[in-house]
Amino acid sequence: MITSVDILKDWRRTAGSDVIRFAYPKIGTFYEEGFIRRHSGAADYAGWHGLHIAAETDAALLHMAVSVSFADQEDLSCAIVLPVTNGKADTVLPFSEFPLMQVNENQWQYVTGIAIHADEKMHLTALDAWRGQNGVFVHLPIRGLSGNVNKKCSYHGSVQNDRKEPITVSLRQAFEGWESMIAQIVWQEDLCDPILLKPGEKADFAVCVPVHDGMVPGGHEITRLQCAIRGGNWTEKREIRLYTMRCLPHPYIYHDQAGWEAVREKIQQYPKYQPVFQQYLATAEAWQVLPPRADLPYCYETQQETNVMSAAYAYALTGRREYAEKAAQFLKYFAEAYPKRLRGCSQSYVQEGHFFQHLAIPYDIIHDAGVLSEHEHEQIRHAFRQYMEQLDMHIRSGHISNWLVSEILGAVYCALALQDGALVHRFVFGNGGMIEQFRHGLFNDGWWHECSVGYNTWVSSQMMHLAHALLPFGIDLTHTAFPVPYNKEVSASL
């Protein structure tokens, strides 16, 4: 993983009379990678911290204007004033200081140029893009796990020093006062905390959090890690949150075992449900599970979701293993193909959202049927995490729409199926998540802003499914009130 870029060295530089300009090394165009829009002539700095700038000058203060150019947006500029000590100025300019709406983080995916103008004469000695805050990148890719009683959930991370000075790093658990879990933190090679990192060095660590019988299944506790980073004359502290859950037995997204039993009883008791039930069985029986075609850019035709859902329903309502095996085979084929194509269905992103909903629900239903090996479970989990990783940045735009509601609910279901509490909270309560869609997309009469009967009932159904799915995890949105926004636009705007 790239965590630092030396722009002075790696980018094309053109020096004018009063502006120093840097251009991305390649000239390129937009292209599609699955549903992801990328640019071959731009740097992807979304999620990065900012720029490290250093210069030499005879002035007492250095007045700078830093501009960033993008492939498809207007330039952003930020004016800064740097103190000078012994002829040197050194600073970090976070991308968050540029005049851009905080919700619109995904604009930083397409950086094509950087320009610096100084009022005073100066010699630029460093210009770096840093992924980590102040040049120290703390990476913990998975922050939500679940485990059974008396088992430990193990989180694995690393710290990378991209500064030109050594640092010490200390990692410990911070306590609010009511925690029931005590984490064990271990550095690589049993290094003693705090550790020393020289310039360019990286150290791995593991955090083990034990699950105990005082927790209810589906309940989670947040473990707060405090990372203290010290340089020669500075100190910085960061907090990392881990969401550790006691395993909740599958299934639970649509129904638990008792819920499915209640559905079976209703089918037997009320003849009007028989036609639909028999249609599910007929669809599942007739379904031939085939691998994805090699000549297509996507994995499956969108309509295949009807087949996999029918097979999952048939298994849930009859307990017959052959239906679970069909759903499992489809998920295995999908998990093998998706990482190479990054496009699950044959239609648009909105359909991709409910396609992933209809992957996560069958996976939840057949999870404990004994039809998937641990390796196959891991492949499916990996495909779900890839979808969530893409969507995490895609929705950081400030846009509100029914398409996004569908796409995000697919990610929520994937996170629930994996019992990753961190990602559940990200896609429900985070930037661009379901609560932002709900708060900003509804008018005060309860009508969805896109003003059609179809969109209104569709979004309403998605929100009800969301609220229902979160209940087993102790989150009750049905009886929660949210602040009303007072701006006059639906999507974010300045």
Side-chain angles (χ1 to χ4, degrees):
M1 176 183 291
I2 297 173
T3 59
S4 177
V5 175
D6 186 339
I7 292 173
L8 278 181
K9 175 184 175 183
D10 297 338
W11 286 34
R12 292 181 288 117
R13 175 175 177 172
T14 58
S17 57
D18 60 351
V19 180
I20 304 174
R21 301 183 185 277
F22 298 88
Y24 188 75
K26 299 178 182 178
I27 297 174
T29 58
F30 281 104
Y31 66 97
E32 301 294 326
E33 187 176 271
F35 281 107
I36 303 302
R37 186 173 180 242
R38 303 198 186 279
H39 197 287
S40 57
D44 183 355
Y45 290 149
W48 286 48
H49 180 65
L51 300 173
H52 167 234
I53 305 170
E56 295 177 348
T57 181
D58 293 330
L61 288 175
L62 197 54
H63 297 77
M64 278 187 181
V66 182
S67 298
V68 178
S69 300
F70 301 91
D72 61 346
Q73 300 289 338
E74 296 293 325
D75 292 1
L76 294 176
S77 296
C78 182
I80 57 176
V81 181
L82 306 182
V84 179
T85 303
N86 298 325
K88 296 181 179 181
D90 195 307
T91 193
V92 175
L93 177 59
F95 289 139
S96 60
E97 289 194 20
F98 286 83
L100 182 68
M101 295 181 297
Q102 293 183 6
V103 296
N104 195 11
E105 297 176 66
N106 63 13
Q107 182 170 324
W108 294 101
Q109 293 177 104
Y110 312 113
V111 176
T112 57
I114 298 172
I116 297 178
H117 165 77
D119 292 345
E120 299 79 15
K121 288 185 178 180
M122 63 113 184
H123 171 61
L124 193 65
T125 58
L127 180 59
D128 305 296
W130 279 346
R131 183 188 290 266
Q133 183 175 328
N134 294 325
V136 181
F137 182 53
V138 181
H139 184 48
L140 206 66
I142 296 177
R143 302 189 180 194
L145 292 171
S146 68
N148 291 311
V149 173
N150 297 325
K151 299 294 184 181
K152 292 182 178 180
C153 292
S154 296
Y155 301 88
H156 298 276
S158 62
V159 181
Q160 168 80 33
N161 179 19
D162 291 315
R163 299 179 66 89
K164 293 180 172 61
E165 63 171 328
I167 61 172
T168 62
V169 181
S170 177
L171 195 60
R172 67 178 184 85
Q173 184 175 357
F175 295 94
E176 184 180 40
W178 290 272
E179 287 79 4
S180 68
M181 297 170 155
I182 308 299
Q184 180 186 11
I185 302 168
V186 180
W187 288 100
Q188 67 180 41
E189 300 173 356
D190 294 325
L191 294 174
C192 294
D193 189 272
I195 65 165
L196 173 68
L197 286 181
K198 297 176 181 178
E201 284 189 339
K202 184 182 82 167
D204 297 327
F205 63 86
V207 182
C208 298
V209 183
V211 179
H212 57 82
D213 60 5
M215 302 175 67
V216 298
H220 74 271
E221 182 171 294
I222 297 174
T223 299
R224 293 169 175 82
L225 303 180
Q226 186 178 88
C227 184
I229 304 165
R230 292 179 172 85
N233 57 0
W234 58 276
T235 299
E236 175 188 306
K237 291 185 179 180
R238 304 181 195 171
E239 184 178 272
I240 303 167
R241 295 189 169 198
L242 306 179
Y243 291 71
T244 304
M245 181 186 302
R246 178 176 170 181
C247 275
L248 179 67
H250 295 266
Y252 45 75
I253 292 179
Y254 266 12
H255 294 294
D256 59 12
Q257 291 290 5
W260 283 113
E261 180 60 37
V263 173
R264 285 194 290 271
E265 291 175 357
K266 289 178 181 178
I267 292 172
Q268 294 172 359
Q269 184 176 0
Y270 299 103
K272 66 179 180 180
Y273 295 134
Q274 279 295 324
V276 175
F277 173 57
Q278 294 301 325
Q279 182 60 57
Y280 286 140
L281 296 182
T283 301
E285 289 284 355
W287 185 28
Q288 291 185 319
V289 185
L290 301 174
R293 285 173 47 182
D295 60 330
L296 297 176
Y298 51 83
C299 295
Y300 284 105
E301 295 291 335
T302 309
Q303 293 78 5
Q304 285 290 338
E305 64 188 356
T306 300
N307 293 323
V308 69
M309 288 291 287
S310 295
Y313 286 161
Y315 171 70
L317 296 171
T318 68
R320 289 169 54 184
R321 183 182 175 89
E322 60 264 33
Y323 297 132
E325 289 174 341
K326 281 192 172 185
Q329 186 60 64
F330 181 79
L331 289 169
K332 287 187 284 186
Y333 282 148
F334 177 85
E336 290 173 1
Y338 182 75
K340 302 170 186 175
R341 309 186 190 193
L342 298 178
R343 186 175 173 186
C345 77
S346 58
Q347 293 176 274
S348 300
Y349 220 154
V350 59
Q351 285 84 18
E352 186 83 341
H354 63 70
F355 194 78
F356 267 89
Q357 292 177 38
H358 298 147
L359 293 173
I361 294 165
Y363 180 61
D364 172 52
I365 291 173
I366 70 164
H367 186 280
D368 295 339
V371 291
L372 292 166
S373 69
E374 181 53 38
H375 174 68
E376 290 161 349
H377 276 293
E378 186 54 42
Q379 284 186 306
I380 295 168
R381 290 193 290 262
H382 177 65
F384 285 3
R385 288 192 181 279
Q386 280 190 301
Y387 173 73
M388 290 187 284
E389 182 180 351
Q390 294 176 48
L391 200 71
D392 173 48
M393 188 52 61
H394 172 66
I395 64 176
R396 296 174 188 252
S397 64
H399 189 55
I400 306 295
S401 77
N402 75 91
W403 279 43
L404 289 176
V405 169
S406 173
E407 296 158 22
I408 298 165
L409 188 58
V412 173
Y413 280 180
C414 286
L416 289 174
L418 271 54
Q419 299 192 11
D420 186 327
L423 287 176
V424 171
H425 280 75
R426 184 272 169 271
F427 287 112
V428 176
F429 302 105
N431 180 3
M434 291 294 276
I435 299 305
E436 283 196 358
Q437 298 293 321
F438 178 79
R439 288 185 59 229
H440 299 289
L442 285 179
F443 288 153
N444 60 1
D445 60 358
W447 197 261
W448 183 250
H449 75 96
E450 288 169 291
C451 295
S452 95
V453 173
Y455 287 156
N456 195 60
T457 55
W458 160 253
V459 172
S460 297
S461 71
Q462 297 287 278
M463 293 297 175
M464 287 189 289
H465 278 302
L466 170 71
H468 173 78
L470 292 175
L471 284 174
F473 299 90
I475 302 173
D476 184 0
L477 296 183
T478 307
H479 300 95
T480 302
F482 300 97
V484 175
Y486 296 107
N487 63 313
K488 294 184 179 298
E489 300 294 332
V490 173
S491 293
S493 61
L494 292 174

